[in-house]
Amino acid sequence: MRIGNGFDVHRLVMGRPLVLGGVHVPFEMGLEGHSDGDALCHAIADAILGACAMGDIGQWFPPDDPFYEGACSLDLLRTVVKSAGEKGFRLGNIDSVIICERPKLSPHFIQMRKSLSEALGLEEAKVSVKARTAEGLGIIGQSEAIAVEAVVLME
Ligand code: MG
């Protein structure tokens, strides 16, 4: 069994949709990024790559590659899981925490887990999504950014 750790942070900006775990969350701002800015998918993808010692998502999907402009991050996640599978790694479970002051994310957890579960080919009972605020502190507390931490077990 192998453990992987992933982290991501994206700036919140006006005029972008807020996408987390492939789910559109209604909010007046969204995450800046070359792809759809889905920091939850990015952190999970990085954790999977980490567990398998297969590099990081910056190497796999370079931010200066026009091919990935506006990319759906669930697709990036599918690519990573498929490649890990080809090396003999199978997902055990995922835990994640989104650090976000606004909006309230708990109403979307069920949908996020469902969407991630489908993309990863992993049952929902093994996909955990949680959130907490930054207690008003720093750039996350001021709603200027959202960060995500993820841990995965690969078998
Ligand atoms: Mg990212």
Side-chain angles (χ1 to χ4, degrees), residues 8-10 35 37-39 42-43 57:
D8 198 18
V9 59
H10 281 243
S35 65
D38 190 332
H42 297 175
I57 58 167

Side-chain angles (χ1 to χ4, degrees), residues 3 18 33 38-39 42-43 50 57 97 103-104 114 121 144-145 150:
I3 291 172
L18 177 57
D38 190 332
H42 297 175
I57 58 167
V97 56
K104 194 172 174 57
K114 188 171 166 28
E144 289 174 30

Side-chain angles (χ1 to χ4, degrees), residues 52-115:
C52 306
M54 287 167 62
D56 62 50
I57 58 167
Q59 294 169 298
W60 278 67
F61 313 107
D64 54 358
D65 186 337
F67 183 77
Y68 299 112
E69 191 167 343
C72 167
S73 296
L74 280 179
D75 288 339
L76 308 186
L77 207 45
R78 285 187 187 98
T79 302
V80 165
V81 171
K82 187 166 176 280
S83 301
E86 284 162 2
K87 295 211 170 209
F89 291 107
R90 197 166 49 87
L91 271 162
N93 75 297
I94 291 173
D95 187 21
S96 62
V97 56
I98 307 168
I99 307 138
C100 168
E101 204 71 20
R102 283 186 315 134
K104 194 172 174 57
L105 297 175
S106 54
H108 306 283
F109 287 166
I110 291 174
Q111 236 188 312
M112 287 176 192
R113 290 177 60 208
K114 188 171 166 28
S115 141

